[in-house]
Amino acid sequence: TFPHGSLTVRALTPTDDAEAEVLVRLLASSFSEDVRWAPAQRYAQLLAFVIRRYLYERRGLAPHAAVLVGFYKPAAAEEGDEGEGDGDEGEMACTAEVSLDAVGAPGAPPPPTPPLEFPYICNMTVKTSLRR
């Protein structure tokens, strides 16, 4: 919890299909924002397809790997939600994938190849409007 709001981080579960789709869009937009050689929107669509398939495979690897998602709720929204009991976590703000061992390791990490027996963090991003 911060003066400006709160951040809740948790693991994405295999049943979080709606949140997985939001996560796909977050990762695709983040990974395509610096592309200069192709129309970013078309590249983002291709990335979304690839990321969707990748996430589907990765979500089932617990306890060997976890896709972490962070939800941000501004302080003003928290005050307005008191007493409503809707349990809304806020907007998806960030993500990171953590592989904890060789079973959870990604199939083709970029070089240099990390040791498979140690934790590895990848696919980390923060929503553009929430970066600072």
Side-chain angles (χ1 to χ4, degrees):
T1 302
F2 307 97
H4 52 78
S6 63
L7 180 69
T8 303
V9 178
R10 64 174 174 76
L12 186 70
T13 66
T15 59
D16 289 336
D17 289 333
E19 289 177 355
E21 193 56 35
V22 175
L23 180 55
V24 165
R25 290 192 304 271
L26 173 64
L27 285 165
S29 67
S30 177
F31 294 160
S32 66
E33 66 187 15
D34 291 330
V35 173
R36 302 280 185 244
W37 53 267
Q41 182 180 8
R42 297 186 102 200
Y43 185 63
Q45 290 171 345
L46 173 63
L47 276 175
F49 174 78
V50 173
I51 291 167
R52 190 174 292 111
R53 293 190 62 197
Y54 177 82
L55 273 181
Y56 181 79
E57 295 170 5
R58 302 299 292 171
R59 290 192 299 176
L61 288 175
H64 305 285
V67 177
L68 302 177
V69 288
F71 297 89
Y72 177 70
K73 185 182 273 191
E78 288 177 346
E79 293 169 9
D81 287 345
E82 287 180 4
E84 292 180 16
D86 63 352
D88 181 35
E89 295 176 293
E91 68 178 306
M92 187 176 293
C94 56
T95 186
E97 180 182 337
V98 181
S99 302
L100 301 170
D101 57 24
V103 174
T113 304
L116 296 178
E117 65 274 10
F118 293 101
Y120 178 73
I121 299 172
C122 63
N123 298 330
M124 181 171 47
T125 191
V126 174
K127 188 175 182 178
T128 305
S129 63
L130 296 173
R131 294 177 189 167
R132 59 180 185 99

